[in-house]
Short mmCIF file of all heavy atoms in Angstrom, two decimals:
data_model
loop_
_atom_site.label_atom_id
_atom_site.label_comp_id
_atom_site.label_asym_id
_atom_site.label_seq_id
_atom_site.Cartn_x
_atom_site.Cartn_y
_atom_site.Cartn_z
N ARG A 2 -111.80 -11.45 -9.71
CA ARG A 2 -110.39 -11.69 -9.68
C ARG A 2 -109.97 -12.54 -8.49
O ARG A 2 -110.67 -12.62 -7.48
CB ARG A 2 -109.66 -10.38 -9.67
CG ARG A 2 -109.75 -9.56 -8.42
CD ARG A 2 -108.92 -8.29 -8.36
NE ARG A 2 -108.99 -7.55 -7.09
CZ ARG A 2 -108.36 -7.79 -6.00
NH1 ARG A 2 -107.52 -8.85 -5.97
NH2 ARG A 2 -108.49 -7.06 -4.95
N GLU A 3 -108.83 -13.14 -8.57
CA GLU A 3 -108.29 -13.93 -7.50
C GLU A 3 -107.69 -12.93 -6.45
O GLU A 3 -107.16 -11.89 -6.75
CB GLU A 3 -107.17 -14.82 -8.03
CG GLU A 3 -107.62 -15.93 -8.91
CD GLU A 3 -108.40 -17.00 -8.25
OE1 GLU A 3 -108.01 -17.37 -7.06
OE2 GLU A 3 -109.49 -17.43 -8.80
N LEU A 4 -107.78 -13.42 -5.19
CA LEU A 4 -107.18 -12.62 -4.11
C LEU A 4 -105.71 -12.74 -4.08
O LEU A 4 -105.24 -13.89 -4.34
CB LEU A 4 -107.77 -13.02 -2.72
CG LEU A 4 -109.22 -12.85 -2.50
CD1 LEU A 4 -109.66 -13.36 -1.14
CD2 LEU A 4 -109.64 -11.36 -2.63
N THR A 5 -104.96 -11.69 -3.67
CA THR A 5 -103.56 -11.78 -3.53
C THR A 5 -103.24 -12.55 -2.21
O THR A 5 -104.14 -12.69 -1.38
CB THR A 5 -102.90 -10.40 -3.46
OG1 THR A 5 -103.37 -9.74 -2.26
CG2 THR A 5 -103.25 -9.56 -4.67
N ARG A 6 -102.03 -12.97 -2.04
CA ARG A 6 -101.65 -13.63 -0.82
C ARG A 6 -101.89 -12.64 0.41
O ARG A 6 -102.28 -13.15 1.43
CB ARG A 6 -100.20 -14.09 -0.91
CG ARG A 6 -100.01 -15.30 -1.76
CD ARG A 6 -98.53 -15.79 -1.68
NE ARG A 6 -98.23 -16.80 -2.56
CZ ARG A 6 -98.36 -18.08 -2.32
NH1 ARG A 6 -98.80 -18.47 -1.14
NH2 ARG A 6 -98.11 -18.99 -3.26
N ALA A 7 -101.56 -11.39 0.26
CA ALA A 7 -101.73 -10.47 1.30
C ALA A 7 -103.22 -10.33 1.66
O ALA A 7 -103.57 -10.21 2.81
CB ALA A 7 -101.14 -9.08 0.86
N GLU A 8 -104.06 -10.30 0.62
CA GLU A 8 -105.55 -10.14 0.91
C GLU A 8 -106.06 -11.47 1.59
O GLU A 8 -106.89 -11.38 2.52
CB GLU A 8 -106.26 -9.93 -0.40
CG GLU A 8 -106.08 -8.57 -0.97
CD GLU A 8 -106.60 -8.43 -2.38
OE1 GLU A 8 -106.54 -9.41 -3.13
OE2 GLU A 8 -107.03 -7.27 -2.74
N GLN A 9 -105.57 -12.60 1.20
CA GLN A 9 -105.99 -13.89 1.80
C GLN A 9 -105.55 -13.91 3.20
O GLN A 9 -106.27 -14.34 4.17
CB GLN A 9 -105.41 -15.08 1.07
CG GLN A 9 -105.95 -15.25 -0.28
CD GLN A 9 -105.25 -16.36 -1.10
OE1 GLN A 9 -104.30 -17.00 -0.62
NE2 GLN A 9 -105.78 -16.71 -2.23
N ALA A 10 -104.27 -13.40 3.52
CA ALA A 10 -103.80 -13.42 4.84
C ALA A 10 -104.57 -12.49 5.80
O ALA A 10 -104.88 -12.81 6.89
CB ALA A 10 -102.25 -13.02 4.80
N GLN A 11 -104.96 -11.36 5.19
CA GLN A 11 -105.75 -10.36 5.98
C GLN A 11 -107.13 -10.90 6.28
O GLN A 11 -107.65 -10.75 7.35
CB GLN A 11 -105.84 -9.03 5.20
CG GLN A 11 -106.58 -7.96 5.98
CD GLN A 11 -105.84 -7.58 7.29
OE1 GLN A 11 -104.73 -7.21 7.19
NE2 GLN A 11 -106.51 -7.69 8.38
N ALA A 12 -107.75 -11.55 5.22
CA ALA A 12 -109.09 -12.12 5.49
C ALA A 12 -109.06 -13.19 6.58
O ALA A 12 -109.94 -13.36 7.38
CB ALA A 12 -109.64 -12.67 4.12
N THR A 13 -107.93 -14.10 6.54
CA THR A 13 -107.81 -15.07 7.49
C THR A 13 -107.61 -14.48 8.91
O THR A 13 -108.21 -14.94 9.84
CB THR A 13 -106.58 -16.01 7.16
OG1 THR A 13 -106.87 -16.56 5.86
CG2 THR A 13 -106.41 -17.15 8.15
N ALA A 14 -106.81 -13.39 8.99
CA ALA A 14 -106.56 -12.86 10.31
C ALA A 14 -107.85 -12.15 10.80
O ALA A 14 -108.16 -12.32 12.02
CB ALA A 14 -105.46 -11.79 10.17
N ASP A 15 -108.58 -11.50 9.91
CA ASP A 15 -109.86 -10.90 10.32
C ASP A 15 -110.84 -11.90 10.84
O ASP A 15 -111.56 -11.74 11.83
CB ASP A 15 -110.50 -10.13 9.21
CG ASP A 15 -109.71 -8.85 8.75
OD1 ASP A 15 -108.88 -8.48 9.54
OD2 ASP A 15 -110.03 -8.28 7.66
N SER A 16 -110.89 -13.03 10.12
CA SER A 16 -111.85 -14.08 10.52
C SER A 16 -111.53 -14.72 11.84
O SER A 16 -112.29 -14.92 12.73
CB SER A 16 -111.84 -15.23 9.45
OG SER A 16 -112.67 -16.24 9.83
N GLU A 17 -110.19 -14.98 12.05
CA GLU A 17 -109.69 -15.55 13.32
C GLU A 17 -109.95 -14.53 14.52
O GLU A 17 -110.45 -14.94 15.60
CB GLU A 17 -108.22 -15.89 13.25
CG GLU A 17 -107.63 -16.49 14.50
CD GLU A 17 -108.28 -17.77 14.89
OE1 GLU A 17 -108.82 -18.47 14.08
OE2 GLU A 17 -108.25 -18.16 16.03
N CYS A 18 -109.72 -13.24 14.22
CA CYS A 18 -110.02 -12.26 15.31
C CYS A 18 -111.49 -12.25 15.63
O CYS A 18 -111.80 -12.21 16.83
CB CYS A 18 -109.52 -10.84 14.77
SG CYS A 18 -109.82 -9.54 15.99
N ASP A 19 -112.38 -12.25 14.64
CA ASP A 19 -113.74 -12.24 14.83
C ASP A 19 -114.20 -13.49 15.69
O ASP A 19 -115.01 -13.40 16.60
CB ASP A 19 -114.57 -12.15 13.59
CG ASP A 19 -116.02 -12.17 13.81
OD1 ASP A 19 -116.57 -11.29 14.47
OD2 ASP A 19 -116.66 -13.25 13.41
N ARG A 20 -113.63 -14.61 15.32
CA ARG A 20 -113.97 -15.85 16.01
C ARG A 20 -113.61 -15.77 17.50
O ARG A 20 -114.35 -16.13 18.39
CB ARG A 20 -113.18 -17.03 15.35
CG ARG A 20 -113.71 -18.44 15.96
CD ARG A 20 -112.85 -19.56 15.35
NE ARG A 20 -111.48 -19.47 15.76
CZ ARG A 20 -111.06 -19.82 17.04
NH1 ARG A 20 -111.89 -20.19 17.95
NH2 ARG A 20 -109.73 -19.73 17.31
N GLN A 21 -112.39 -15.22 17.79
CA GLN A 21 -111.93 -15.11 19.17
C GLN A 21 -112.76 -14.07 19.94
O GLN A 21 -113.04 -14.32 21.11
CB GLN A 21 -110.44 -14.78 19.17
CG GLN A 21 -109.60 -15.93 18.72
CD GLN A 21 -108.12 -15.51 18.69
OE1 GLN A 21 -107.69 -14.50 19.21
NE2 GLN A 21 -107.28 -16.42 18.13
N VAL A 22 -113.08 -12.96 19.31
CA VAL A 22 -113.63 -11.87 20.01
C VAL A 22 -115.25 -11.99 20.02
O VAL A 22 -115.86 -11.59 21.03
CB VAL A 22 -113.24 -10.51 19.38
CG1 VAL A 22 -114.03 -9.33 19.97
CG2 VAL A 22 -111.77 -10.33 19.53
N GLY A 23 -115.74 -12.59 18.99
CA GLY A 23 -117.18 -12.80 18.87
C GLY A 23 -117.98 -11.55 18.41
O GLY A 23 -119.15 -11.36 18.69
N THR A 24 -117.29 -10.76 17.52
CA THR A 24 -117.92 -9.53 17.05
C THR A 24 -119.19 -9.86 16.22
O THR A 24 -120.28 -9.29 16.47
CB THR A 24 -116.94 -8.79 16.18
OG1 THR A 24 -115.74 -8.54 16.88
CG2 THR A 24 -117.48 -7.41 15.77
N ALA A 25 -119.07 -10.78 15.29
CA ALA A 25 -120.29 -11.08 14.41
C ALA A 25 -121.42 -11.59 15.32
O ALA A 25 -122.58 -11.28 15.09
CB ALA A 25 -119.95 -12.07 13.33
N ARG A 26 -121.12 -12.45 16.26
CA ARG A 26 -122.20 -12.98 17.10
C ARG A 26 -122.90 -11.89 17.95
O ARG A 26 -124.02 -11.86 18.03
CB ARG A 26 -121.49 -14.05 18.14
CG ARG A 26 -122.57 -14.82 18.89
CD ARG A 26 -121.92 -15.89 19.77
NE ARG A 26 -120.72 -16.43 19.33
CZ ARG A 26 -119.46 -16.26 19.91
NH1 ARG A 26 -119.39 -15.54 21.05
NH2 ARG A 26 -118.41 -16.80 19.40
N ALA A 27 -122.09 -10.95 18.39
CA ALA A 27 -122.64 -9.82 19.14
C ALA A 27 -123.53 -8.95 18.28
O ALA A 27 -124.62 -8.61 18.68
CB ALA A 27 -121.49 -8.96 19.74
N PHE A 28 -123.16 -8.70 17.06
CA PHE A 28 -123.93 -7.89 16.10
C PHE A 28 -125.13 -8.66 15.79
O PHE A 28 -126.28 -7.97 15.69
CB PHE A 28 -123.19 -7.56 14.87
CG PHE A 28 -122.27 -6.34 15.04
CD1 PHE A 28 -120.93 -6.46 14.91
CD2 PHE A 28 -122.79 -5.13 15.30
CE1 PHE A 28 -120.05 -5.44 15.08
CE2 PHE A 28 -122.02 -3.95 15.44
CZ PHE A 28 -120.61 -4.17 15.33
N ARG A 29 -125.14 -9.96 15.58
CA ARG A 29 -126.37 -10.70 15.23
C ARG A 29 -127.32 -10.66 16.42
O ARG A 29 -128.55 -10.41 16.20
CB ARG A 29 -126.01 -12.22 14.91
CG ARG A 29 -125.53 -12.35 13.51
CD ARG A 29 -125.42 -13.90 13.22
NE ARG A 29 -124.76 -14.72 14.12
CZ ARG A 29 -123.42 -14.88 14.09
NH1 ARG A 29 -122.67 -14.38 13.16
NH2 ARG A 29 -122.84 -15.70 15.00
N THR A 30 -126.87 -10.80 17.66
CA THR A 30 -127.70 -10.76 18.87
C THR A 30 -128.37 -9.40 18.97
O THR A 30 -129.56 -9.30 19.26
CB THR A 30 -126.86 -11.14 20.05
OG1 THR A 30 -126.32 -12.45 19.92
CG2 THR A 30 -127.72 -11.08 21.35
N LEU A 31 -127.58 -8.31 18.90
CA LEU A 31 -128.06 -7.00 19.00
C LEU A 31 -129.03 -6.66 17.89
O LEU A 31 -130.05 -6.06 18.13
CB LEU A 31 -126.94 -5.98 18.93
CG LEU A 31 -125.96 -5.91 20.17
CD1 LEU A 31 -124.77 -5.05 19.97
CD2 LEU A 31 -126.76 -5.49 21.39
N GLY A 32 -128.78 -7.07 16.68
CA GLY A 32 -129.64 -6.88 15.57
C GLY A 32 -130.97 -7.53 15.72
O GLY A 32 -131.98 -6.98 15.36
N LYS A 33 -130.95 -8.73 16.16
CA LYS A 33 -132.23 -9.48 16.39
C LYS A 33 -133.06 -8.80 17.47
O LYS A 33 -134.31 -8.57 17.25
CB LYS A 33 -131.91 -10.92 16.82
CG LYS A 33 -133.27 -11.70 17.05
CD LYS A 33 -132.93 -13.15 17.27
CE LYS A 33 -134.19 -13.98 17.61
NZ LYS A 33 -135.54 -13.35 17.49
N GLY A 34 -132.46 -8.35 18.52
CA GLY A 34 -133.20 -7.63 19.62
C GLY A 34 -133.75 -6.36 19.02
O GLY A 34 -134.97 -6.03 19.27
N TYR A 35 -133.07 -5.58 18.24
CA TYR A 35 -133.54 -4.40 17.62
C TYR A 35 -134.68 -4.65 16.68
O TYR A 35 -135.71 -4.03 16.60
CB TYR A 35 -132.36 -3.66 16.94
CG TYR A 35 -132.86 -2.34 16.22
CD1 TYR A 35 -133.26 -1.26 16.89
CD2 TYR A 35 -132.97 -2.37 14.84
CE1 TYR A 35 -133.66 -0.16 16.32
CE2 TYR A 35 -133.45 -1.25 14.18
CZ TYR A 35 -133.80 -0.14 14.95
OH TYR A 35 -134.29 0.97 14.30
N GLY A 36 -134.52 -5.67 15.84
CA GLY A 36 -135.57 -6.03 14.85
C GLY A 36 -136.79 -6.44 15.54
O GLY A 36 -137.94 -6.12 15.10
N ASP A 37 -136.69 -7.22 16.61
CA ASP A 37 -137.94 -7.62 17.36
C ASP A 37 -138.65 -6.40 17.97
O ASP A 37 -139.84 -6.31 17.89
CB ASP A 37 -137.54 -8.61 18.49
CG ASP A 37 -137.05 -10.03 17.95
OD1 ASP A 37 -137.31 -10.25 16.80
OD2 ASP A 37 -136.41 -10.71 18.72
N ARG A 38 -137.82 -5.55 18.52
CA ARG A 38 -138.45 -4.35 19.15
C ARG A 38 -139.08 -3.44 18.08
O ARG A 38 -140.20 -2.96 18.28
CB ARG A 38 -137.42 -3.51 19.83
CG ARG A 38 -138.06 -2.40 20.73
CD ARG A 38 -136.96 -1.55 21.38
NE ARG A 38 -136.56 -0.50 20.34
CZ ARG A 38 -135.34 0.04 20.23
NH1 ARG A 38 -134.43 -0.31 20.99
NH2 ARG A 38 -135.15 0.86 19.30
N LEU A 39 -138.48 -3.29 16.98
CA LEU A 39 -138.96 -2.53 15.85
C LEU A 39 -140.27 -3.11 15.38
O LEU A 39 -141.33 -2.41 15.08
CB LEU A 39 -137.91 -2.35 14.75
CG LEU A 39 -138.32 -1.35 13.64
CD1 LEU A 39 -138.44 0.02 14.24
CD2 LEU A 39 -137.23 -1.34 12.66
N ALA A 40 -140.34 -4.42 15.18
CA ALA A 40 -141.48 -5.12 14.72
C ALA A 40 -142.67 -4.88 15.67
O ALA A 40 -143.83 -4.67 15.22
CB ALA A 40 -141.27 -6.63 14.55
N ARG A 41 -142.44 -4.97 16.98
CA ARG A 41 -143.52 -4.68 18.01
C ARG A 41 -143.98 -3.20 17.84
O ARG A 41 -145.17 -3.01 17.91
CB ARG A 41 -143.02 -4.95 19.40
CG ARG A 41 -142.93 -6.44 19.77
CD ARG A 41 -142.74 -6.63 21.24
NE ARG A 41 -141.59 -5.95 21.71
CZ ARG A 41 -140.26 -6.43 21.70
NH1 ARG A 41 -140.09 -7.60 21.20
NH2 ARG A 41 -139.28 -5.72 22.18
#
Side-chain angles (χ1 to χ4, degrees):
R2 72 175 179 80
E3 293 290 320
L4 296 176
T5 66
R6 287 185 186 269
E8 289 170 328
Q9 290 175 356
Q11 184 63 56
T13 300
D15 289 347
S16 177
E17 182 61 24
C18 179
D19 177 65
R20 188 186 65 76
Q21 290 178 10
V22 175
T24 306
R26 188 176 331 114
F28 278 116
R29 281 192 306 273
T30 301
L31 290 171
K33 180 175 176 4
Y35 176 73
D37 292 346
R38 189 184 86 212
L39 190 60
R41 283 192 305 275

